[in-house]
Amino acid sequence: SDLQKQEERGELLQPLIFIFLVLCSVLLYFKVSLMDPGFVKSEEEAGESEEQSMVIPQVPSNIKMRRCGYCMVKQPMRAKHCQLCQHCVRRYDHHCPWIENCVGEKNHPLFIVYLSVQLVVLLWGGCVAWSGLYFEQSWDWLQHNILLLVSFLLIVIFTVVVLLLLISHLYLISCNTTTWEFMSHHRISYLRHSELENPFDQGVILNLWRFFC
């Protein structure tokens, strides 16, 4: 049959891989959305020694942990209270409206993996949509291809957004800083009073190693 011939020629492998990547993208989305991003637990659940282990030697010693004015827990360094999640989040990066969850210490690496898989899916889908387009200057052609054309344009827009987001996150990770720290450097006490512009930076290779490994 035609299906067996396609299988023999290896033509079924690409669609299967594409479907697999789409499924991985959906599963990663739900995983990142539903998992704990690194909520700061109460003092009874998380000891003060664990809090102090987050402190980096380059940060001035006079910067002490402060108590959150909203949830009343002691904030470890680099944590921030999220008004939408109603929790303090360790190594807070940002609250992502796409996933309706914070991106923090626990789910940030998986968020990068999700963006990477999503980018591959979008690029692949864009190539498939482009291959199906043949341009003619006629109203009849537009009527038959309008959905494919709109789909291609939407894929291009989402691809650009995801690509820029992924590049910006990889840059910040390579510097060992977060989106919140990058945008609010002048308002954060442990950065404002530090002699170094970024006291957490330990070199690109070590920064990437500590983040992903």
Side-chain angles (χ1 to χ4, degrees):
S1 65
D2 292 339
L3 194 62
Q4 287 177 328
K5 290 178 181 178
Q6 286 180 331
E7 187 179 0
E8 289 173 1
R9 292 196 299 265
E11 294 177 1
L12 293 179
L13 186 61
Q14 287 189 355
L16 289 175
I17 294 174
F18 181 75
I19 292 170
F20 174 74
L21 287 173
V22 171
L23 289 175
C24 284
S25 175
V26 173
L27 291 174
L28 283 168
Y29 172 82
F30 284 110
K31 177 66 175 176
V32 176
S33 300
L34 299 174
M35 73 182 294
D36 175 5
F39 294 134
V40 180
K41 298 177 182 179
S42 64
E43 292 166 16
E44 291 78 20
E45 296 173 326
E48 192 168 325
S49 59
E50 183 189 351
E51 310 273 2
Q52 293 294 348
S53 67
M54 300 293 292
V55 179
I56 306 298
Q58 292 92 327
V59 178
S61 58
N62 61 330
I63 305 296
K64 304 296 182 184
M65 287 188 302
R66 68 185 185 90
R67 192 174 291 277
C68 176
Y70 296 97
C71 52
M72 302 308 293
V73 298
K74 280 190 177 180
Q75 284 185 337
M77 194 165 289
R78 311 191 79 178
K80 182 183 181 296
H81 184 87
C82 176
Q83 297 278 17
L84 296 172
C85 292
Q86 294 297 309
H87 284 285
C88 286
V89 180
R90 292 179 180 274
R91 202 181 182 280
Y92 175 86
D93 189 87
H94 71 288
H95 184 93
C96 181
W98 286 12
I99 63 174
E100 278 299 317
N101 194 12
C102 281
V103 176
E105 183 178 81
K106 289 186 177 180
N107 66 347
H108 199 171
L110 207 58
F111 181 73
I112 298 300
V113 175
Y114 163 67
L115 287 179
S116 302
V117 174
Q118 189 67 57
L119 181 61
V120 172
V121 170
L122 286 168
L123 288 171
W124 197 333
C127 290
V128 172
W130 177 258
S131 67
L133 286 172
Y134 58 95
F135 294 96
E136 293 179 6
Q137 292 183 348
S138 67
W139 175 250
D140 190 48
W141 174 88
L142 187 61
Q143 282 184 315
H144 285 87
N145 292 274
I146 186 67
L147 289 177
L148 186 59
L149 187 61
V150 170
S151 299
F152 176 73
L153 292 175
L154 286 174
I155 289 173
V156 170
I157 293 170
F158 285 125
T159 299
V160 171
V161 171
V162 172
L163 180 62
L164 292 176
L165 190 60
L166 181 60
I167 290 173
S168 65
H169 272 277
L170 289 174
Y171 169 74
L172 294 175
I173 291 165
S174 69
C175 300
N176 197 1
T177 189
T178 64
T179 303
W180 173 58
E181 290 171 342
F182 181 78
M183 300 294 291
S184 307
H185 189 280
H186 61 288
R187 295 195 290 116
I188 302 172
S189 58
Y190 59 80
L191 296 179
R192 191 172 65 247
H193 296 109
S194 174
E195 295 179 1
L196 302 174
E197 184 176 353
N198 180 11
F200 305 105
D201 188 6
Q202 296 178 305
V204 175
I205 295 176
L206 192 56
N207 290 340
L208 292 172
W209 174 264
R210 294 199 171 200
F211 180 84
F212 287 106
C213 305

